[in-house]
Amino acid sequence: MSASTHYVIYDGDCPLCTFQMKLLTWMDWLNQTTLVPLANEKVQTLVPDLSREALLSAIHCLDTNGRIHRGARCIRFLSMRMPLLIPLGLVLWFPGVIWIAEKIYQWVSRNRLILSRVFGCKDACGFVPERKRDQEDIFHDSH
């Protein structure tokens, strides 16, 4: 596995999470990320110290330096690497904003399956096609 990409680990069984990852593939113009569904067996190789429960509690990013970013801090980290999301990333660096963002993120994470149903992500979120990227092939072929 390449250390030249940031691995984003997400709940592939969550329609809201999957929708957000589809959007992320279109915003990642520089192909800096590789998306890895939590159910993939290679996740344990990437982050052996994290339990399934910890991974289910939030999105995680393993950066190229081996650091793990979680929840709103993961969003802040990724935002600073994608041109369209840089304004969001900058706002998340303002003092105190990340604390508020983490609280909001925790609430959304706890309620993501309900929110998926409320917003119709199971069916309606299918209108955004997934962008095919070579770096994810090794994670999708193993299913």
Side-chain angles (χ1 to χ4, degrees):
M1 286 179 238
S2 172
S4 64
T5 187
H6 306 293
Y7 293 99
V8 179
I9 302 166
Y10 69 99
D11 181 359
D13 294 328
C14 165
L16 182 64
C17 306
T18 302
F19 172 68
Q20 292 170 346
M21 293 304 107
K22 282 182 182 181
L23 289 177
L24 198 69
T25 64
W26 289 102
M27 290 186 267
D28 185 11
W29 300 340
L30 305 173
N31 292 322
Q32 296 207 26
T33 63
T34 298
L35 307 179
V36 187
L38 178 57
N40 188 288
E41 70 270 0
K42 293 180 178 100
V43 166
Q44 282 303 64
T45 304
L46 289 171
V47 287
D49 296 336
L50 293 178
S51 69
R52 179 170 171 74
E53 292 74 31
L55 292 168
L56 278 171
S57 70
I59 187 174
H60 288 74
C61 177
L62 174 65
D63 72 21
T64 57
N65 295 318
R67 288 180 302 226
I68 297 172
H69 307 269
R70 162 189 198 290
R73 284 174 173 78
C74 174
I75 294 168
R76 179 175 68 184
F77 175 82
L78 294 172
S79 295
M80 294 304 292
R81 282 141 185 88
M82 297 181 191
L84 287 176
L85 296 177
I86 287 175
L88 171 64
L90 291 173
V91 168
L92 289 172
W93 277 105
F94 289 160
V97 172
I98 197 66
W99 183 84
I100 295 166
E102 282 292 354
K103 296 298 178 193
I104 294 168
Y105 185 92
Q106 289 168 7
W107 184 85
V108 170
S109 179
R110 277 192 312 272
N111 296 290
R112 67 185 182 269
L113 297 178
I114 294 168
L115 292 170
S116 292
R117 276 186 255 131
V118 168
F119 292 111
C121 284
K122 189 117 180 128
D123 301 316
C125 289
F127 75 89
V128 175
E130 186 174 0
R131 182 175 155 229
K132 182 78 171 122
R133 303 181 327 154
D134 292 339
Q135 66 257 43
E136 275 111 20
D137 285 348
I138 63 168
F139 296 104
H140 294 294
D141 290 345
S142 64
H143 272 26

